[in-house]
Amino acid sequence: MAEEPKPQLIREKLDVCELDRARMSLLNPALIEQKKHERTTDENAKPVLDLMMREGIETVWDRFEMQQPPCKHCEAGTSCSRCTMGPCRIIPPHRIRGVCGADADLIVSRNLLDMIATGAAAHSDHGRDIAETLYLLGTGKTKDYEIADKEKLLRICTEYGIKTDGKTPEQLAAELAGAMLDEYGMRKNTLQFLNRAPKGTREIWDTLGISPRGIDREVVDSMHRVQMGVGADYVNMLIQGLRTSLSDGWGGSMIGTEVSDILFGTPTISSSKMNLAVLKSDHVNISVHGHNPVLSEVMVRAADDPELTALALKYGAKGINLVGMCCTGNELLMRKGIPMTGNHLNQELIIATGALEAMVVDYQCIFPSLPRTASCYHTQIISTSSKATIPGSFFFDFHAENAYLTAKAIMRMAVENFKNRNPQRVLIPGEPVPVMAGFSTEAIKNALGGSFKPLIDLIVAGKIRGAVGIVGCNNPHVKHDFGHVVLAKELIKRNILCVETGCAAIASGKAGLLRPEAASHAGDDLRGVCESLKIPPVLHMGSCVDNSRILVLAAEIANALNVPIHKLPIAGAAPEWYSQKAVSIGAYFVASGVYTVLGVMPHIAGSPATVSLLTEGLKDAVKASFAVEPDPAKAAVLISDHIELKRTGLGI
Ligand code: BF8
């Protein structure tokens, strides 16, 4: 029998700098009280944040303060350090070109294209890891996964033109995964899922020349253009940004979502709980953090392993409590109802509850500082991806082929760490909030009786004025969760349905908006709809790759009405975005015809031409544009006006 793998220590354990701690713990109590309210709206986070400031344990907000004021050239996007002729900054009126001759427009657009390509690469590589897992399953190279949704496997095989008759699910899995992996290169020169978009939308892409030719191909093409001496025209750079983002939304991310559903089950409406209080003082607490369910799904199975639960009892715990964080938490919440601890800015706070035995991470949105925070407690940070080893963490080289044994070894390490917990330092604040989640496109359709017609009828009748996808992150530039929650409340008040993913959905969950009772915050018409369907006015549609579900939902409604997506009364919003992935999401929303309002200004102000193209010029090209509005109440007005304009356009 194969042996459980052993962890490898990635460099030395990091300790929090004693000087930092001494300096920070000198904060006076009144200042701590003020700061905790300024930093977050998450009531369960406040006592932990308070404790961290009193004890001088550094957080993202402290580092943010230490970085102020920001470099104004970087903030405007007009600094460039891509090559060693520089670094360069554009400082009018004299320094208006970098050493290579690039002006502000080129530098800004080159930086932005880099961000889009980085985000698209992250989502799409995640999708590839999942497609590879399906391939390994299909070819018998891993026994640690099974096909949970055979109906979806058949449906997507048919969509890909794969003959299904007489083939086993495993054969189909291998064929489908092979066809998807082909789309990463350029053998096919198109992506199958683009055909899900309405004809009118696809025609816009073809006319503009932004139909993606391959997932990796567009990312590599973009990286080629940001090389000095290639891209010289800011318009050309930004148009390639749109094509790259489409290869993410309708390509890599959509593959990630659909194959995750095949492997782990298409989400159905379910209930769970959210916030830091889902930790249990008498259990071994293990949090999975990151994005890829290939790891977290096996952790769910390992948490039920009788050998490990017996071990937990032996160490005096009442059991193992596996909880989620950020998007891998969303994946588990959507499919398995696993409780969720919090979003991006909660990741250090969960450690400071003193009740976390292990934080098991894969990749994306993981602060490299986590081992420093953990060094103040007994928590072990366990990294699992060779792409994302973290100094100060224990590393297990996790692969689909060794998945279960590795998950068991990780879980064993966490359980054995329970004895090191100091009960005197445990602070689990308040009570968890109930949430309803699992609103995949299929689940929404089922809830509506098997077709989107009832939803379309409600929109036509004006009971639902429109729908908005609120997505994206937390960002210390914005009070934690404030942008998400205020925007959602303002929109539902105006009878606009919200569909959410990522950290936005978690913010709403913690604020109680993912409960059917939240219908009381909605306008009369939307409240009536929610009450009759027994659903919340804010629907949790999954993780960030699951923004592809929002695209599919929009496409299905547009196809039913026989109009392009840009004619629908819908919008997108990212009130607290920080990540390159979010830039890619925003770009594919806009490229797909969805007006999108950002709450944080991208680093583009140094090129008025770029700002004008993104906020105005794109309306001619893709019939949608970006807007930036930091005040979520004002953003709700912009969105509501846009929705009413689209309703008028449709004659409803
Ligand atoms: O992919 S919403 S902070 S956790 S990037 Fe990250 Fe942003 Fe959260 Fe998920 Ni998405």
Side-chain angles (χ1 to χ4, degrees), residues 312-333:
L313 293 177
K314 186 181 137 197
Y315 282 109
K318 291 213 169 120
I320 298 173
N321 183 33
L322 186 76
V323 293
M325 163 141 284
C326 288
C327 280
T328 208
N330 280 328
E331 301 271 354
L332 296 185
L333 171 71

Side-chain angles (χ1 to χ4, degrees), residues 368-402:
S369 61
L370 289 185
R372 275 169 58 88
T373 318
S375 73
C376 301
Y377 295 88
H378 72 300
T379 308
Q380 286 161 344
I381 307 297
I382 300 178
S383 54
T384 59
S385 166
S386 55
K387 291 170 200 173
T389 56
I390 305 173
S393 72
F394 292 99
F395 172 63
F396 284 89
D397 198 6
F398 181 91
H399 294 284
E401 295 93 323
N402 67 0

